[in-house]
Each structure stands twice: as structure tokens, then as C-alpha cells.
């Protein structure tokens, strides 16, 4: 009995300090009243160029970040070309236009409040075609892979995203339906069956890879999607559309750092969060982040 009491006392002594180690975090940083400007998007030569412009909100972030409405947004080329991006929805600026592989491009923003922002010039990189999309099936589920290469060894940095659609059936078969107007329950006709369903979604993770340390510019079996075993996504029919993008080295490093900061599990073995700095700068207030 004394041995049991001693063990219990030791456990209690270990637990008591741990219980009292939680403190409310108060950020030492003071953001401007309007929040920092957040610019998210890509200048694209083969799909629509789209940028979402919004503002940050203070911690704990219990409200929705406000979109930046009424800004003038345009893409400028080193060849003196200008491509305005109209505001297609609140805070979203989008258009399609051709780019020159010989030119470099940057983004210019003039907000409704009179502030000006400008990004660095970056080269336009032609994205090589995807070689194939393959998959494997094992005890851990299905993994879908992207395979690509650039024979000119000029790409080196890649990003992917995807849209998926799958067919499934509801858990229960509904044989009857309630008619509110007549307050009656009737048999559901075959034409109105609702147990046959389709679902669609898109990728939310950052999917990037590089061949910079390889002799050849080849990406082999990069896992773009994993589906656990017995998942409803694989119950009937499944389709995935994968898109590939060529990145600059700076773009790859930016996304890799964002991936580490946002997708780590938070264990003691994960890398410590670090500050992410983009390539958009304030012309009105040069010290603004």
C-alpha cells in the first residue's frame, strides 16, 4: 500500500505544474486600424489571372477578414504591357490575357483609400504538360500521383491543385415523401429518388515539389491526393482533375514556408513557425508589412 501511495504522489506532483502552464497569449504586435493588406493569387499565362485582396483582423480572429473593395488592380509587363483586372466579385480581381515568355511581370494595386502597392518583377515560366496521373491501392487506401518532366531542365519548381467529383449513395433509401400542402405521406416515385448523389470539392493543401537537386528535371510519383480505405469517395465512381504550375524559386520557397507554418501537426518535432514575407510592397508606407 505505501508503494502505491508514493507512486500516486509522484504522479500528482508531475501533473500539478502542467495544469497551471496555460496562459492567454497576447500578441505584442499592433496592426494598423484597417489591418494589413493581404494579396493572394497568381499571374497566369494559360488560365485566368486572379487575385483576392483582403485585410487582416486582430486575434482571436472571430470575424471574417474584410475584402478590399473598389481597388484598381493591374498586371504590368517589362515590355510596357498593362492588363487591368476588373473586380468580378467583392475583393476578387480577375481576367484572362496572354503573357510573353520573354517578359517579366508585376502586380500594381491602388486601394480605394488611396494607398499604392507594387510587387517585384517575376519571370513568366511556361508550365510543361503533366506526363501522367497514376494511382496505387494498398492497405492504407488509394494514393494518386502526378508525374512530370521538363526536357529543357528549366522548370525545377512545381505546384499542383485539383478538383474532384465522386458518386455515392445515401445511407438510407427514402421510399416515401411528405407533401406539406396536403399534409400527406405518399410513395416517392422513381423519378424523384434522392439516394443517388454526387459530391465535388477542390484541394486545400499546398502541393509543391522541386527537382532542383536532381540531375534531370523530373518529378516522379508526387502524391497529390490520398483517400483512406473504405472512404465513401471510392464507393462508386471517382474522378480527379489535376492542374500543374511552374514556379520561380522564390515562389516555391514562399509556399514551402507557408506549408510548414500552416500544415504541421504542432508536435515538438515540427519546425518552429517563422515569418512569411511576400513580394508585394507598400509604396505609400514603405515600412508597412
Amino acid at each position: 500500500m505505501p508503494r502505491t501511495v508514493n507512486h500516486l504522489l509522484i504522479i500528482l506532483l508531475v501533473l500539478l505544474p502542467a495544469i497551471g502552464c496555460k496562459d492567454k497569449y497576447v500578441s505584442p504586435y499592433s496592426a494598423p486600424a484597417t489591418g494589413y493588406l493581404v494579396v493572394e493569387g497568381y499571374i497566369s499565362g494559360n488560365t485566368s489571372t486572379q487575385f483576392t485582396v483582403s485585410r487582416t483582423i486582430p486575434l482571436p480572429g472571430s470575424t471574417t477578414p474584410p475584402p478590399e473593395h473598389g481597388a484598381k488592380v493591374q498586371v504590368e509587363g517589362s515590355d510596357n504591357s498593362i492588363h487591368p483586372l476588373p473586380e468580378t466579385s467583392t475583393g476578387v480581381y480577375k481576367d484572362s490575357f496572354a503573357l510573353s515568355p520573354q517578359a517579366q511581370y508585376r502586380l500594381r494595386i491602388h486601394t480605394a483609400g488611396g494607398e499604392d502597392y507594387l510587387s517585384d518583377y517575376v519571370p513568366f515560366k511556361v508550365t510543361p504538360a503533366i506526363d501522367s496521373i497514376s494511382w496505387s491501392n494498398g492497405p492504407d487506401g488509394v494514393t494518386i500521383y502526378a508525374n512530370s518532366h521538363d526536357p529543357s531542365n528549366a522548370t525545377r519548381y512545381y505546384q499542383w491543385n485539383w478538383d474532384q467529383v465522386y458518386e455515392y449513395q445515401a445511407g438510407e433509401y427514402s421510399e416515401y415523401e411528405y407533401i406539406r400542402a396536403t399534409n400527406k405521406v405518399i410513395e416517392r416515385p422513381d423519378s424523384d429518388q434522392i439516394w443517388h448523389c454526387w459530391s465535388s470539392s477542390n484541394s486545400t493543401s499546398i502541393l509543391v515539389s522541386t527537382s532542383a537537386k536532381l540531375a534531370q528535371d523530373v518529378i516522379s510519383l508526387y502524391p497529390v491526393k490520398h483517400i483512406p480505405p473504405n472512404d465513401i469517395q471510392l464507393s462508386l465512381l471517382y474522378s480527379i482533375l489535376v492542374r500543374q504550375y511552374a514556379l520561380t524559386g522564390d515562389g516555391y520557397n514562399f509556399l514551402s514556408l507557408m506549408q510548414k507554418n500552416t500544415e504541421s501537426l504542432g508536435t515538438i518535432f515540427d519546425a518552429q513557425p517563422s515569418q512569411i514575407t511576400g513580394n508585394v510592397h507598400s509604396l505609400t508606407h514603405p515600412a508597412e508589412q
Side-chain angles (χ1 to χ4, degrees), residues 1-32:
M1 179 63 69
R3 182 177 301 173
T4 303
V5 173
N6 289 339
H7 286 183
L8 179 61
L9 179 60
I10 293 174
I11 294 174
L12 288 176
L13 289 176
V14 172
L15 288 179
L16 284 176
I19 294 174
C21 69
K22 288 187 177 181
D23 293 316
K24 182 178 180 180
Y25 174 76
V26 179
S27 174
Y29 301 101
S30 177

Short mmCIF file of all heavy atoms in Angstrom, two decimals, residues 1-32:
data_model
loop_
_atom_site.label_atom_id
_atom_site.label_comp_id
_atom_site.label_asym_id
_atom_site.label_seq_id
_atom_site.Cartn_x
_atom_site.Cartn_y
_atom_site.Cartn_z
N MET A 1 0.82 -1.22 0.00
CA MET A 1 0.00 0.00 0.00
C MET A 1 0.85 1.27 0.00
O MET A 1 0.61 2.20 -0.73
CB MET A 1 -0.96 0.00 1.19
CG MET A 1 -1.84 1.26 1.26
SD MET A 1 -2.92 1.43 -0.17
CE MET A 1 -4.04 0.06 0.13
N PRO A 2 1.90 1.40 0.87
CA PRO A 2 2.73 2.61 0.83
C PRO A 2 3.34 2.84 -0.55
O PRO A 2 3.48 3.96 -0.99
CB PRO A 2 3.79 2.33 1.90
CG PRO A 2 3.15 1.35 2.83
CD PRO A 2 2.31 0.48 1.98
N ARG A 3 3.71 1.76 -1.25
CA ARG A 3 4.30 1.94 -2.58
C ARG A 3 3.31 2.58 -3.53
O ARG A 3 3.64 3.44 -4.33
CB ARG A 3 4.75 0.57 -3.11
CG ARG A 3 5.44 0.65 -4.47
CD ARG A 3 5.92 -0.71 -4.92
NE ARG A 3 6.87 -1.27 -3.95
CZ ARG A 3 7.35 -2.50 -4.04
NH1 ARG A 3 6.95 -3.30 -5.03
NH2 ARG A 3 8.19 -2.94 -3.15
N THR A 4 2.05 2.16 -3.44
CA THR A 4 1.02 2.74 -4.30
C THR A 4 0.83 4.22 -4.01
O THR A 4 0.70 5.05 -4.91
CB THR A 4 -0.32 1.99 -4.11
OG1 THR A 4 -0.12 0.61 -4.39
CG2 THR A 4 -1.37 2.54 -5.05
N VAL A 5 0.81 4.57 -2.74
CA VAL A 5 0.64 5.98 -2.36
C VAL A 5 1.79 6.82 -2.87
O VAL A 5 1.61 7.93 -3.37
CB VAL A 5 0.51 6.10 -0.82
CG1 VAL A 5 0.50 7.56 -0.42
CG2 VAL A 5 -0.76 5.41 -0.35
N ASN A 6 3.03 6.31 -2.76
CA ASN A 6 4.18 7.05 -3.24
C ASN A 6 4.10 7.30 -4.74
O ASN A 6 4.39 8.39 -5.24
CB ASN A 6 5.48 6.30 -2.92
CG ASN A 6 5.79 6.32 -1.44
OD1 ASN A 6 5.29 7.20 -0.73
ND2 ASN A 6 6.58 5.37 -0.97
N HIS A 7 3.71 6.27 -5.50
CA HIS A 7 3.57 6.44 -6.95
C HIS A 7 2.50 7.46 -7.27
O HIS A 7 2.65 8.29 -8.16
CB HIS A 7 3.23 5.10 -7.60
CG HIS A 7 4.40 4.16 -7.65
ND1 HIS A 7 4.33 2.93 -8.24
CD2 HIS A 7 5.67 4.28 -7.18
CE1 HIS A 7 5.51 2.32 -8.14
NE2 HIS A 7 6.33 3.14 -7.49
N LEU A 8 1.38 7.43 -6.55
CA LEU A 8 0.30 8.37 -6.79
C LEU A 8 0.75 9.79 -6.49
O LEU A 8 0.44 10.74 -7.21
CB LEU A 8 -0.92 8.00 -5.95
CG LEU A 8 -2.14 8.93 -6.07
CD1 LEU A 8 -2.63 8.93 -7.52
CD2 LEU A 8 -3.25 8.46 -5.14
N LEU A 9 1.53 9.96 -5.42
CA LEU A 9 2.01 11.28 -5.05
C LEU A 9 2.94 11.85 -6.11
O LEU A 9 2.87 13.02 -6.46
CB LEU A 9 2.73 11.20 -3.70
CG LEU A 9 3.34 12.51 -3.17
CD1 LEU A 9 2.23 13.53 -2.98
CD2 LEU A 9 4.08 12.27 -1.87
N ILE A 10 3.80 10.99 -6.65
CA ILE A 10 4.71 11.44 -7.71
C ILE A 10 3.94 11.89 -8.94
O ILE A 10 4.22 12.92 -9.53
CB ILE A 10 5.70 10.32 -8.07
CG1 ILE A 10 6.63 10.05 -6.89
CG2 ILE A 10 6.50 10.69 -9.31
CD1 ILE A 10 7.54 8.87 -7.10
N ILE A 11 2.90 11.13 -9.32
CA ILE A 11 2.09 11.49 -10.49
C ILE A 11 1.40 12.82 -10.27
O ILE A 11 1.36 13.69 -11.14
CB ILE A 11 1.07 10.38 -10.78
CG1 ILE A 11 1.79 9.10 -11.23
CG2 ILE A 11 0.08 10.82 -11.85
CD1 ILE A 11 0.88 7.92 -11.41
N LEU A 12 0.88 13.04 -9.06
CA LEU A 12 0.20 14.29 -8.76
C LEU A 12 1.17 15.46 -8.82
O LEU A 12 0.85 16.54 -9.31
CB LEU A 12 -0.47 14.22 -7.39
CG LEU A 12 -1.71 13.32 -7.30
CD1 LEU A 12 -2.20 13.26 -5.87
CD2 LEU A 12 -2.81 13.81 -8.23
N LEU A 13 2.38 15.27 -8.32
CA LEU A 13 3.37 16.34 -8.34
C LEU A 13 3.77 16.69 -9.77
O LEU A 13 4.09 17.84 -10.08
CB LEU A 13 4.60 15.91 -7.54
CG LEU A 13 4.42 15.83 -6.02
CD1 LEU A 13 5.69 15.30 -5.36
CD2 LEU A 13 4.04 17.19 -5.44
N VAL A 14 3.75 15.71 -10.66
CA VAL A 14 4.08 15.97 -12.06
C VAL A 14 2.94 16.67 -12.77
O VAL A 14 3.13 17.56 -13.59
CB VAL A 14 4.45 14.65 -12.76
CG1 VAL A 14 4.61 14.88 -14.26
CG2 VAL A 14 5.73 14.08 -12.18
N LEU A 15 1.71 16.30 -12.44
CA LEU A 15 0.57 16.85 -13.13
C LEU A 15 0.24 18.27 -12.69
O LEU A 15 -0.19 19.08 -13.50
CB LEU A 15 -0.65 15.95 -12.92
CG LEU A 15 -0.65 14.61 -13.64
CD1 LEU A 15 -1.92 13.83 -13.31
CD2 LEU A 15 -0.53 14.80 -15.15
N LEU A 16 0.44 18.59 -11.44
CA LEU A 16 0.05 19.91 -10.95
C LEU A 16 0.73 21.05 -11.70
O LEU A 16 0.06 22.00 -12.11
CB LEU A 16 0.30 20.00 -9.44
CG LEU A 16 -0.71 19.26 -8.56
CD1 LEU A 16 -0.29 19.34 -7.10
CD2 LEU A 16 -2.11 19.84 -8.75
N PRO A 17 2.05 21.02 -11.94
CA PRO A 17 2.65 22.11 -12.70
C PRO A 17 2.13 22.19 -14.13
O PRO A 17 1.99 23.26 -14.70
CB PRO A 17 4.15 21.78 -12.67
CG PRO A 17 4.31 20.89 -11.50
CD PRO A 17 3.06 20.09 -11.42
N ALA A 18 1.81 21.02 -14.74
CA ALA A 18 1.34 21.02 -16.11
C ALA A 18 -0.03 21.67 -16.23
O ALA A 18 -0.35 22.31 -17.22
CB ALA A 18 1.29 19.58 -16.65
N ILE A 19 -0.87 21.50 -15.18
CA ILE A 19 -2.22 22.06 -15.24
C ILE A 19 -2.17 23.58 -15.26
O ILE A 19 -2.98 24.25 -15.89
CB ILE A 19 -3.04 21.55 -14.05
CG1 ILE A 19 -3.25 20.03 -14.18
CG2 ILE A 19 -4.38 22.26 -13.95
CD1 ILE A 19 -3.92 19.41 -12.97
N GLY A 20 -1.20 24.17 -14.59
CA GLY A 20 -1.17 25.62 -14.48
C GLY A 20 -0.28 26.30 -15.50
O GLY A 20 0.06 27.47 -15.32
N CYS A 21 0.13 25.62 -16.61
CA CYS A 21 1.07 26.21 -17.55
C CYS A 21 0.38 26.89 -18.72
O CYS A 21 1.04 27.33 -19.65
CB CYS A 21 2.05 25.16 -18.06
SG CYS A 21 1.29 23.93 -19.14
N LYS A 22 -0.94 26.96 -18.76
CA LYS A 22 -1.65 27.60 -19.86
C LYS A 22 -1.86 29.08 -19.53
O LYS A 22 -2.43 29.42 -18.50
CB LYS A 22 -3.00 26.93 -20.12
CG LYS A 22 -2.88 25.57 -20.77
CD LYS A 22 -4.24 25.04 -21.16
CE LYS A 22 -4.15 23.71 -21.89
NZ LYS A 22 -5.49 23.20 -22.28
N ASP A 23 -1.40 29.93 -20.41
CA ASP A 23 -1.59 31.37 -20.26
C ASP A 23 -2.18 31.92 -21.54
O ASP A 23 -1.87 31.45 -22.64
CB ASP A 23 -0.26 32.08 -19.97
CG ASP A 23 0.31 31.69 -18.61
OD1 ASP A 23 -0.48 31.66 -17.65
OD2 ASP A 23 1.52 31.41 -18.53
N LYS A 24 -3.01 32.92 -21.42
CA LYS A 24 -3.58 33.57 -22.58
C LYS A 24 -2.49 34.31 -23.33
O LYS A 24 -1.68 35.03 -22.75
CB LYS A 24 -4.67 34.56 -22.14
CG LYS A 24 -5.35 35.25 -23.32
CD LYS A 24 -6.46 36.18 -22.84
CE LYS A 24 -7.13 36.87 -24.02
NZ LYS A 24 -8.21 37.78 -23.58
N TYR A 25 -2.46 34.10 -24.65
CA TYR A 25 -1.44 34.75 -25.47
C TYR A 25 -1.91 36.13 -25.89
O TYR A 25 -3.00 36.28 -26.45
CB TYR A 25 -1.14 33.92 -26.72
CG TYR A 25 -0.21 34.61 -27.69
CD1 TYR A 25 1.16 34.69 -27.44
CD2 TYR A 25 -0.70 35.18 -28.85
CE1 TYR A 25 2.01 35.32 -28.30
CE2 TYR A 25 0.15 35.83 -29.74
CZ TYR A 25 1.52 35.89 -29.46
OH TYR A 25 2.36 36.53 -30.33
N VAL A 26 -1.10 37.13 -25.61
CA VAL A 26 -1.38 38.49 -26.02
C VAL A 26 -0.31 38.90 -27.03
O VAL A 26 0.88 38.95 -26.70
CB VAL A 26 -1.38 39.46 -24.83
CG1 VAL A 26 -1.64 40.89 -25.30
CG2 VAL A 26 -2.41 39.03 -23.80
N SER A 27 -0.71 39.14 -28.25
CA SER A 27 0.25 39.47 -29.30
C SER A 27 0.94 40.80 -29.03
O SER A 27 0.28 41.79 -28.72
CB SER A 27 -0.45 39.52 -30.66
OG SER A 27 0.45 39.96 -31.66
N PRO A 28 2.27 40.84 -29.13
CA PRO A 28 2.98 42.10 -28.91
C PRO A 28 2.91 43.04 -30.10
O PRO A 28 3.36 44.17 -30.02
CB PRO A 28 4.42 41.63 -28.67
CG PRO A 28 4.53 40.37 -29.47
CD PRO A 28 3.17 39.71 -29.37
N TYR A 29 2.32 42.57 -31.21
CA TYR A 29 2.28 43.38 -32.43
C TYR A 29 0.96 44.14 -32.51
O TYR A 29 -0.10 43.61 -32.19
CB TYR A 29 2.45 42.48 -33.66
CG TYR A 29 3.76 41.74 -33.65
CD1 TYR A 29 3.81 40.40 -33.28
CD2 TYR A 29 4.95 42.37 -34.00
CE1 TYR A 29 5.01 39.71 -33.26
CE2 TYR A 29 6.15 41.68 -33.98
CZ TYR A 29 6.18 40.36 -33.61
OH TYR A 29 7.36 39.68 -33.59
N SER A 30 1.07 45.37 -32.96
CA SER A 30 -0.10 46.22 -33.09
C SER A 30 -0.31 46.52 -34.57
O SER A 30 0.48 47.24 -35.19
CB SER A 30 0.09 47.52 -32.31
OG SER A 30 -1.02 48.38 -32.48
N ALA A 31 -1.35 45.93 -35.15
CA ALA A 31 -1.64 46.14 -36.57
C ALA A 31 -2.33 47.48 -36.76
O ALA A 31 -2.95 48.01 -35.84
CB ALA A 31 -2.53 45.01 -37.08
N PRO A 32 -2.25 48.07 -37.97
CA PRO A 32 -2.99 49.30 -38.22
C PRO A 32 -4.49 49.08 -38.08
O PRO A 32 -4.98 47.93 -38.16
CB PRO A 32 -2.60 49.65 -39.66
CG PRO A 32 -2.08 48.38 -40.25
CD PRO A 32 -1.48 47.62 -39.12
#
